[in-house]
Amino acid sequence: MGSSAARQALLRVLRAVFVAVMMLSAVVTVAEGERFNKSSSKGAESGSGSSAAAAVVNDHDELDGGFSSLDGMLHWAIGHSDTDKLKETAKSVQSLSPDELEKRQMEIKELTDKLKMPSDAQLMQIAIDDLNNSSLPLEDHHRALQELLILVEPIDNANDLNKLGGLGVLMEELNHPDSDIRRVSAWILGKACQNNAVVQKQVLELGGVQKLIKMVYSTSPEEAIKAFFALSSLIRNNLAGQRLFYEEAGDQMLQNILINSSTDIRLQRKAISLIADLAEYQLEDVERTDHFFFSNPVLLKSIVDLTATTDIDLQEKALVAIKSLLELKTTEASIFEDLGGALERMRLQLQDLMSVEYHRDYAIDMEILRREVEVIFHRKHDKVIRVPT
């Protein structure tokens, strides 16, 4: 089933089986409900229609097309059936003997077994085959990518992606002339790589770092952001990926993002967060000395310059990154050009913010972080200062 037509045929079969199961289940459920009502105390009021139907007739929680269980599907079927016809059919079921009723229930079970959806791996294979089918219209390729975007969420599915030929296809889609195809393909790769050393290794071997760095330079902000997400997922907690990132001038890419005033602010936030994460990762291995591009003075100056940004989120991320970078043994304080002056300017700015009630909590938290950075910075210069309490 590698085509859109095959998928539609599959869905038609599933819908037909679904309707048969749900209608039969609904009739038996209503019949059992009627029997219960008749055998209950005389003072009990069942209201109009069966209690089973009334209980779910206004249940719209499952109308988005997804059902958490067979019970959810059954309730939906009862609630959206003709109540009079359902009751009429239920009356005939009430006359069935226990053995006959058990036989009907066995029929329901058999039909329910047929209702089983294809496995995630089968659905992924259908989507991958569609992406490989160049004769399909572009909209089918978009749909297949959207399906994969959901299916790769579980780690087991992400691990199956390469076995099914999906990683190679997605890498090819990064070269597609359609920007949305490239964007979603990168998004899927990023999701599959997150905290997954197996998929990271596979994507690295397919040249993922080189392709994604090139894609980050896209003139489309959305495409660049998703490519950066994929790149970050690929090299986080992955030393081999970080080495390749450095060899492919990843520090230059980060530098360009941070110093270019026209860069989308979302991309700048992601860039500074990645720098902080990479520094934190390297801090965990105190024996390592290959700290790659953290000796790049232009890049480090661009981080310091962000302490003066008007975007408070970006400003905080820059300060967090500086703290982690200063804590690296190989980082010299002198390489942070004008950090001392930047920290003093930030102190004055935060003092002003503290007088504004709306910003006070943020300013207090930022001042605590700023002081921590200041202490580390001066310690690097062998100047121990007393921090005011």
Side-chain angles (χ1 to χ4, degrees), residues 257-268:
I257 290 172
L258 297 183
I259 66 176
N260 191 339
S261 59
S262 64
T263 301
D264 191 293
I265 192 75
R266 295 170 297 169
L267 190 55
Q268 289 187 321

Side-chain angles (χ1 to χ4, degrees), residues 144-389:
L145 287 171
Q146 290 297 329
E147 290 171 358
L148 282 178
L149 188 61
I150 297 170
L151 288 165
V152 298
E153 288 279 4
I155 191 168
D156 289 340
N157 288 358
N159 288 339
D160 284 341
L161 198 54
N162 195 49
K163 300 174 190 175
L164 300 172
L167 286 184
V169 172
L170 291 169
M171 292 297 294
E172 287 298 319
E173 294 293 341
L174 295 181
N175 300 319
H176 199 282
D178 183 82
S179 178
D180 277 341
I181 292 287
R182 298 194 301 269
R183 176 181 61 84
V184 181
S185 296
W187 194 357
I188 296 168
L189 287 170
K191 279 193 172 186
C193 285
Q194 277 186 315
N195 304 310
N196 190 327
V198 172
V199 179
Q200 284 176 332
K201 183 175 184 295
Q202 293 166 346
V203 176
L204 288 174
E205 291 172 350
L206 291 170
V209 169
Q210 299 92 323
K211 283 197 172 186
L212 290 169
I213 285 180
K214 181 180 178 181
M215 193 171 165
V216 171
Y217 285 100
S218 169
T219 55
S220 164
E222 300 305 324
E223 182 180 334
I225 288 168
K226 284 299 184 285
F228 195 94
F229 162 70
L231 186 59
S232 299
S233 298
L234 179 57
I235 68 173
R236 274 192 173 97
N237 301 317
N238 190 302
L239 184 58
Q242 291 169 27
R243 285 187 174 133
L244 280 172
F245 183 71
Y246 176 67
E247 290 171 7
E248 295 295 325
D251 60 327
Q252 294 294 320
M253 182 200 73
L254 291 170
Q255 178 182 305
N256 290 339
I257 290 172
L258 297 183
I259 66 176
N260 191 339
S261 59
S262 64
T263 301
D264 191 293
I265 192 75
R266 295 170 297 169
L267 190 55
Q268 289 187 321
R269 289 173 187 157
K270 289 183 180 297
I272 201 69
S273 293
L274 177 60
I275 291 171
D277 287 346
L278 293 177
E280 188 67 28
Y281 174 68
Q282 294 184 8
L283 275 171
E284 293 174 2
D285 190 349
V286 294
E287 302 300 323
R288 282 180 51 202
T289 58
D290 53 342
H291 289 153
F292 307 130
F293 49 82
F294 292 141
S295 60
N296 180 335
V298 179
L299 174 61
L300 296 181
K301 182 181 184 304
S302 68
I303 300 171
V304 172
D305 289 344
L306 289 180
T307 59
T309 181
T310 56
D311 184 276
I312 59 176
D313 185 34
L314 185 57
Q315 184 184 53
E316 182 177 5
K317 285 178 173 13
L319 204 54
V320 169
I322 291 169
K323 180 184 176 185
S324 295
L325 289 167
L326 280 171
E327 288 175 337
L328 290 173
K329 289 184 177 180
T330 55
T331 304
E332 296 293 335
S334 58
I335 206 170
F336 281 94
E337 187 176 330
D338 196 33
L339 179 57
L343 291 172
E344 177 60 21
R345 287 189 294 273
M346 181 178 283
R347 184 184 70 80
L348 297 174
Q349 177 193 25
L350 292 172
Q351 272 188 344
D352 291 338
L353 282 178
M354 285 181 193
S355 63
V356 181
E357 184 176 356
Y358 180 76
H359 293 297
R360 186 174 296 129
D361 290 344
Y362 162 78
I364 291 172
D365 291 342
M366 280 292 288
E367 175 58 17
I368 293 171
L369 177 59
R370 189 202 66 81
R371 289 178 183 179
E372 292 173 354
V373 172
E374 192 172 46
V375 167
I376 299 170
F377 177 64
H378 283 276
R379 188 178 293 145
K380 285 275 188 176
H381 278 296
D382 296 320
K383 294 178 181 179
V384 179
I385 62 170
R386 186 170 182 271
V387 178
T389 58

Side-chain angles (χ1 to χ4, degrees), residues 18 21-22 25 56 59 61-78 112 115 117:
F18 168 77
V21 172
M22 289 304 102
S25 298
V56 296
D59 181 6
D61 292 342
E62 311 294 356
L63 294 187
D64 60 355
F67 298 92
S68 59
S69 66
L70 186 59
D71 283 344
M73 290 190 285
L74 176 57
H75 289 169
W76 183 90
I78 296 173
T112 302
L115 190 62
M117 286 291 291

Side-chain angles (χ1 to χ4, degrees), residues 9-20:
L10 172 64
L11 291 176
R12 281 195 296 271
V13 170
L14 289 171
R15 289 191 189 104
V17 177
F18 168 77
V19 171

